[in-house]
Amino acid sequence: MSAYKRIKCKIVNKECLLQALDTLGLTHTVHAKPVALTGYEGRLRNNTAEIVVSKSVLNKSFTGASNDLGFIWNEESSSYDMICSDYDAAQKLPQRILQAYAMSVIKKAAEAGHFTVKQAADTSQLKQRQRQKVKIVFSKVI
């Protein structure tokens, strides 16, 4: 059984977080109140989250032996904390999610400034286990 850890993140925008999960093909459930996460062996854990990616989704998309992944709002830091197992963290799952989140935030900010956004990387590259360079090009007619 892999231990869960709470990863402090600078994820402050729920819409961009959900978009990042969608980009990675990680179907998620949003709960009004935190729910218990499920571990590898199907047992409910003490760790809770408001946004949950089930272990079955992670198993299909990434690892084959995952635990649930969750996000819970941290009032103190005004941001989401990621609840991730040691096993899934070793598979670089937090880094992939944070990269997809950063791309979502950048695109949203650019579009708010009336820029046209062209992403030069296939989002499927974010699912790979190695570090990926992502090129985003902005243009604006003035």
Side-chain angles (χ1 to χ4, degrees):
M1 181 164 64
S2 184
Y4 274 107
K5 59 177 147 187
R6 190 172 186 137
I7 302 170
K8 301 273 186 209
C9 302
K10 296 293 182 191
I11 296 177
V12 297
N13 186 306
K14 182 179 183 178
E15 177 187 336
C16 289
L17 170 57
L18 298 178
Q19 185 177 8
L21 295 174
D22 289 341
T23 296
L24 293 170
L26 299 176
T27 306
H28 50 274
T29 307
V30 180
H31 302 275
K33 294 184 179 184
V35 297
L37 297 176
T38 304
Y40 168 71
E41 296 173 330
R43 289 190 225 128
L44 290 179
R45 307 287 288 270
N46 293 331
N47 306 83
T48 61
E50 295 147 348
I51 300 170
V52 178
V53 177
S54 73
K55 65 188 193 91
S56 63
V57 170
L58 293 174
N59 287 339
K60 219 179 344 176
S61 300
F62 289 105
T63 62
S66 293
N67 300 278
D68 281 357
L69 172 75
F71 296 88
I72 189 162
W73 184 253
N74 182 331
E75 289 290 336
E76 188 176 300
S77 65
S78 296
S79 64
Y80 282 95
D81 289 344
M82 185 183 308
I83 311 298
C84 183
S85 71
D86 287 336
Y87 175 81
D88 293 324
Q91 306 303 313
K92 307 281 187 219
L93 194 54
Q95 292 89 331
R96 287 183 248 188
I97 292 170
L98 291 173
Q99 185 176 21
Y101 174 76
M103 287 175 45
S104 179
V105 168
I106 290 167
K107 287 175 73 172
K108 182 177 179 172
E111 289 166 353
H114 304 289
F115 283 84
T116 302
V117 179
K118 178 183 175 191
Q119 184 175 317
D122 181 1
T123 54
S124 66
Q125 291 176 335
L126 292 174
K127 294 181 182 181
Q128 297 175 11
R129 292 180 187 223
Q130 65 269 11
R131 182 178 292 230
Q132 298 294 323
K133 290 185 179 183
V134 177
K135 182 179 179 182
I136 301 175
V137 178
F138 303 97
S139 60
K140 185 175 185 179
V141 177
I142 49 175

